[in-house]
Amino acid sequence: MSSEEFDLSAAGLENKFIHLTNNAVQKYSQNYCKFESGNQLSFSDFEVYIKEHGLGADLRGVILPRMKEMIFMSLESVKKKLNPEDRKFVFEVFGYDFIIDEEFRLWLIEVNTNPCIEEASPILEVLLPRMIDDAFRMTIDVLFPRPRKTGERTSAGGQSKGSLDTVEEKKEDEGEPTPIVGSPQPEGELGDSLTLSKVVSTTVHPSPFKVPGYSDSENMWDLLGNLCEKKAAVHKLSLIHI
């Protein structure tokens, strides 16, 4: 967030600390961290702010679902440009920047293909390690499964309970990419028509990176949908909650 009060006057337009909310800019303001640590609020703290100021906005019920829809639509619009060489076993983390106006309408500003993962605030110190670790659990750990501990429960197929198929087993599936890990979506616009063959929301190995409001065995990435075309590569989408 900005370190200065919003101002569209001529003088205000010259103040970069009002209109450029990137942390790389804001950290040089004398008011940096004056109102919030790292100029950031968690969703939970933002909900408290909305309630205390009687703003009447519904973050969880309206704003966040709309955010997911916009993310999915933006990626669907460029799906033919995603992984154009159809490389196998690849993934990418995108950074989405949104703004909420005074009427609580949501606007997508930009999408970053190389988002900053600097632990620049207490919130990011908690979220970023878990985000990266959970992303690896859906990707690298699928190709190179962690050894199963003695006594660990397994599924009917012999896999550790909560884990995905190994690469060897997926070869029998005509080389289809491994499904993404995340919380299954309810039926509806982004649900039933985009169902993947397998989705899991838990992991055998508890995460060492604890995040308030999340179980250590829960993957924080949330399934958004499946970008697929006939005779084309299948791209799985996920969203990290904060």
Side-chain angles (χ1 to χ4, degrees):
M1 292 185 287
S2 173
S3 297
E4 307 287 343
E5 185 175 352
F6 188 73
D7 183 6
L8 287 178
S9 67
L13 291 175
E14 297 296 323
N15 189 339
K16 63 182 179 181
F17 297 123
I18 293 178
H19 303 286
L20 297 177
T21 56
N22 309 62
N23 187 72
V25 174
Q26 292 293 320
K27 65 182 180 181
Y28 294 108
S29 169
Q30 62 180 3
N31 289 329
Y32 184 62
C33 297
K34 179 179 180 180
F35 304 103
E36 306 89 13
S37 180
N39 283 27
Q40 297 170 348
L41 285 175
S42 66
F43 284 163
S44 296
D45 288 339
F46 187 37
E47 284 183 304
V48 172
Y49 178 88
I50 291 173
K51 184 177 180 179
E52 289 181 345
H53 289 77
L55 300 176
D58 186 351
L59 178 64
R60 306 280 179 177
V62 176
I63 297 176
L64 292 185
R66 178 57 179 160
M67 189 179 293
K68 295 179 184 181
E69 290 176 3
M70 294 173 73
I71 290 174
F72 183 81
M73 287 189 293
S74 68
L75 288 172
E76 189 173 39
S77 70
V78 296
K79 61 184 177 182
K80 293 182 179 180
K81 296 184 179 181
L82 297 176
N83 192 18
E85 302 299 325
D86 193 19
R87 295 190 177 97
K88 303 301 181 183
F89 313 120
V90 298
F91 74 98
E92 183 171 4
V93 175
F94 296 97
Y96 274 74
D97 291 345
F98 291 92
I99 189 171
I100 300 174
D101 65 21
E102 60 185 358
E103 296 181 359
F104 285 92
R105 291 174 300 187
L106 187 67
W107 302 86
L108 173 60
I109 302 176
E110 64 178 3
V111 183
N112 296 298
T113 58
N114 187 25
C116 177
I117 54 174
E118 177 187 4
E119 297 178 12
S121 71
I123 292 177
L124 296 181
E125 288 175 358
V126 172
L127 290 177
L128 288 179
R130 178 66 173 270
M131 180 274 288
I132 295 172
D133 185 63
D134 279 358
F136 287 167
R137 288 169 184 265
M138 298 186 296
T139 52
I140 297 175
D141 286 1
V142 174
L143 295 177
F144 304 98
R146 302 184 187 189
R148 182 165 57 86
K149 297 179 180 180
T150 303
E152 190 172 79
R153 291 181 298 167
T154 60
S155 64
Q159 288 295 304
S160 300
K161 184 175 178 60
S163 66
L164 296 175
D165 292 344
T166 61
V167 176
E168 289 74 23
E169 289 173 325
K170 291 303 293 181
K171 288 179 180 178
E172 301 176 2
D173 238 350
E174 299 181 351
E176 285 191 2
T178 307
I180 206 162
V181 178
S183 303
Q185 294 296 302
E187 292 186 359
E189 183 179 354
L190 298 181
D192 49 7
S193 65
L194 300 167
T195 303
L196 302 180
S197 58
K198 293 181 182 178
V199 179
V200 296
S201 58
T202 58
T203 178
V204 172
H205 305 277
S207 174
F209 306 105
K210 298 182 181 297
V211 173
Y214 286 88
S215 165
D216 294 342
S217 61
E218 178 181 5
N219 196 299
M220 290 181 62
W221 288 86
D222 194 14
L223 176 67
L224 288 189
N226 181 356
L227 294 179
C228 64
E229 293 183 4
K230 216 170 185 181
K231 298 182 180 179
V234 179
H235 306 289
K236 308 305 192 294
L237 306 180
S238 255
L239 170 72
I240 190 72
H241 282 301
I242 60 174

